[in-house]
Amino acid sequence: MSKSYDYDLFVIGAGSGGVRAARLTAMGGKKVAVAEEYRVGGTCVIRGCVPKKFMVMASDITHQIEVAEGFGWTIENASFDWPKFRDTKETEIARLSGLYNANLSKAGVEVINGRAVLKDKHTVEIVGTGQTVTAERILIAVGGRPFVPTFPGSDLTITSEEAFHLPELPKRIVVVGGGYIAVEFAGIFAGLGVETTLVYRGPGILRGFDDDVSAHLTREIERHGIKVVLSAEHTAIEKTETGLLNRLSNGMELETDVVMFATGRVPYVKDLGLENAGVALNDKGAIKVDEYSQTTADNIWAVGDVTDRVNLTPVAIREAVAFHETVYKNNPQTVDHTNIATAVFSQPPVGTVGLTEAEARKVCPGEVDIYVANFRPMKYAFYGAEHRMLMKLVVDATTQKVVGCHIVGDDAPEMIQLAGIAVKAGLTKQQWDETCAVHPTAAEELVLLKEKRVVEQLP
């Protein structure tokens, strides 16, 4: 490090990506600092994936009680204590944040509690402290924040970040949005006994996912008691003596106690001082980076959701590792953002990897073969429940490679992790078929799909 700089590397944001990059670089002998304005751990650990998964687990107990009764169990006087759950969750989140802090310290990283902004390409100011530091290189890993559109009464809404800390559970809630955060929280609240309505402006939930997944999940969450309102958006929210009155563009009006907006997240770039350092944004408002995560400033990089490439925690971590290898180990690495398996922890959950049917029909040079299973798993067939599972394989007919796998149903996230290996490896449908089934499981359907779905030709 040149003596003219305070640090070799200064990281802005202590989420999963920032923490990984900081630790690796410090362990390599460099002087590193990381600034975090809230709590070490970032969105995933503090106000995202981890606390959300705890909430999914808690809310799914309602469904498990239904299953238990179907199998002959009698469960009386079951009740849920929201304050107890919420406080226990917060204790666990604090513990995890502490582990992140401890690991940074063990690696030799200096943690600065405060909001960092760029003054120029080598200088960072810690807002409100008067502290200014310099660094040879800077990594931006500040993530994203919820987006709420502006309309009359929009200030009466909450986002997912406030949903984790509600003083009490509402009796009624409207969840606005059709993406994975919206459908996950709709399932959470419904499972906890809240009268739940999901409102989405589009024609179908989970835009960008396979159409069969969207349609199947819609039917299933309605079975779980969620009211789904499509092709409608808010025109106003009004506070009344008994709650919040939602006025929708389709003329519908409904009263609720809480309105939660889950209409997407945007890169957290406001007032970051990017213009002072020559760091440009792309046309979507994210930090513009090249394949090595380098920004338009030659000594500044960015990883994770602030770059709006693939906004998933494991991706941010891989981008951080690639940054470290490229910049500090003379081993240039990029991250392959294709065929990344992901899960939606809706109820039932979704697992998906690769191309949707619509995408495959656009990019595959020849025909596309579709294999679908839609069935009642033995657990539900046993006591006559109507819950169904969907499994779908998308196959390039020319190469016979399985280019997409989509699952909706119990344990879909666990299955898709392993199916993701096969899709990433480019295995063919024959190789899937040659794999012996594990019986009795739902997953065995993935290697037993034989009949192609016939696509009706329009006259």
Side-chain angles (χ1 to χ4, degrees):
M1 178 180 70
S2 169
K3 292 181 180 180
S4 60
Y5 297 114
D6 298 317
Y7 300 98
D8 294 297
L9 175 66
F10 193 95
V11 181
I12 304 177
S16 299
V19 165
R20 182 61 59 90
R23 287 184 61 218
L24 290 175
T25 305
M27 289 164 61
K30 299 297 183 181
K31 188 175 182 182
V32 181
V34 58
E36 173 54 54
E37 68 175 87
Y38 185 47
R39 295 167 70 183
V40 172
T43 295
C44 181
V45 173
I46 305 301
R47 54 198 172 200
C49 331
V50 174
K52 175 197 68 184
K53 188 69 179 290
F54 287 141
M55 292 178 76
V56 169
M57 292 173 175
S59 64
D60 189 51
I61 299 298
T62 303
H63 177 60
Q64 297 308 320
I65 290 173
E66 171 199 303
V67 174
E69 291 175 343
F71 275 80
W73 289 85
T74 298
I75 300 175
E76 297 179 347
N77 303 319
S79 63
F80 177 68
D81 187 333
W82 166 256
K84 179 180 180 180
F85 165 77
R86 181 197 59 212
D87 295 347
T88 303
K89 169 180 64 66
E90 285 306 304
T91 299
E92 176 62 7
I93 296 305
R95 184 186 73 85
L96 293 174
S97 181
L99 288 176
Y100 272 69
N101 260 304
N103 288 335
L104 286 169
S105 296
K106 288 177 185 177
V109 178
E110 180 183 347
V111 179
I112 299 173
N113 297 309
R115 176 172 170 77
V117 299
L118 296 165
K119 304 306 290 183
D120 61 44
K121 64 190 294 188
H122 289 287
T123 308
V124 175
E125 177 187 353
I126 309 303
V127 176
T129 67
Q131 181 183 5
T132 300
V133 299
T134 60
E136 182 180 13
R137 296 184 175 97
I138 294 171
L139 176 67
I140 302 171
V142 294
R145 290 295 183 273
F147 168 75
V148 178
T150 301
F151 59 89
S154 60
D155 58 313
L156 299 172
T157 68
I158 67 168
T159 70
S160 59
E161 295 188 354
E162 293 80 38
F164 293 119
H165 310 290
L166 290 171
E168 61 184 7
L169 277 180
K171 290 182 172 58
R172 306 164 297 174
I173 192 168
V174 168
V175 179
V176 184
Y180 69 94
I181 296 176
V183 298
E184 287 171 343
F185 272 94
I188 287 167
F189 285 113
L192 296 179
V194 180
E195 182 183 312
T196 304
T197 303
L198 181 67
V199 176
Y200 180 48
R201 66 180 182 178
I205 62 173
L206 293 184
R207 180 172 62 88
F209 284 70
D210 190 88
D211 290 342
D212 283 327
V213 168
S214 172
H216 186 90
L217 184 63
T218 300
R219 290 190 293 270
E220 288 299 310
I221 66 174
E222 287 177 330
R223 282 197 179 102
H224 281 262
I226 297 170
K227 182 178 181 179
V228 179
V229 180
L230 300 175
S231 301
E233 55 188 325
H234 276 75
T235 57
I237 298 176
E238 299 174 13
K239 190 171 181 59
T240 68
E241 292 183 358
T242 53
L244 298 174
L245 180 63
N246 297 258
R247 298 186 187 278
L248 305 181
S249 58
N250 63 356
M252 186 176 179
E253 294 183 358
L254 62 152
E255 190 178 74
T256 187
D257 302 309
V258 173
V259 181
M260 175 187 152
F261 263 72
T263 46
R265 297 175 67 86
V266 294
Y268 188 42
V269 297
K270 184 179 180 182
D271 300 326
L272 192 55
L274 300 177
E275 65 282 356
N276 300 328
V279 176
L281 301 178
N282 63 23
D283 56 2
K284 294 183 179 179
I287 292 180
K288 184 179 181 180
V289 293
D290 65 11
E291 60 182 335
Y292 295 100
S293 295
Q294 187 168 27
T295 73
T296 49
D298 59 9
N299 70 304
I300 300 177
W301 286 257
V303 297
D305 292 7
V306 76
T307 65
D308 196 26
R309 288 175 284 184
V310 176
N311 298 334
L312 298 169
T313 296
V315 176
I317 293 172
R318 281 185 171 251
E319 290 170 355
V321 173
F323 156 79
H324 174 72
E325 290 286 330
T326 299
V327 176
Y328 290 105
K329 298 189 74 174
N330 194 30
N331 180 29
Q333 286 190 7
T334 61
V335 176
D336 181 3
H337 291 97
T338 62
N339 288 332
I340 295 173
T342 189
V344 181
F345 292 99
S346 48
Q347 296 178 45
V350 174
T352 182
V353 63
L355 301 177
T356 67
E357 179 178 346
E359 289 170 340
R361 293 194 185 283
K362 289 180 181 178
V363 303
C364 292
E367 293 294 316
V368 174
D369 294 336
I370 303 297
Y371 298 84
V372 177
N374 187 322
F375 59 96
R376 278 198 305 169
M378 61 186 295
K379 177 168 71 174
Y380 300 121
F382 178 82
Y383 66 98
E386 291 300 321
H387 302 296
R388 301 187 69 82
M389 191 160 195
L390 174 75
M391 292 188 176
K392 179 174 181 177
L393 295 182
V394 181
V395 179
D396 182 331
T398 303
T399 64
Q400 280 299 293
K401 287 183 179 180
V402 177
V403 295
C405 177
H406 311 279
I407 308 171
V408 184
D410 293 350
D411 302 317
E414 307 295 339
M415 294 184 213
I416 208 64
Q417 178 66 83
L418 299 179
I421 299 172
V423 174
K424 188 75 172 177
L427 300 188
T428 65
K429 181 64 167 60
Q430 181 179 346
Q431 289 171 309
W432 284 62
D433 294 344
E434 290 172 348
T435 303
C436 192
V438 179
H439 182 74
T441 66
E444 66 183 300
E445 292 295 329
L446 292 171
V447 297
L448 296 176
L449 291 166
K450 303 300 182 186
E451 298 296 325
K452 299 177 190 176
R453 183 165 70 184
V454 178
V455 178
E456 294 183 4
Q457 300 294 323
L458 295 176

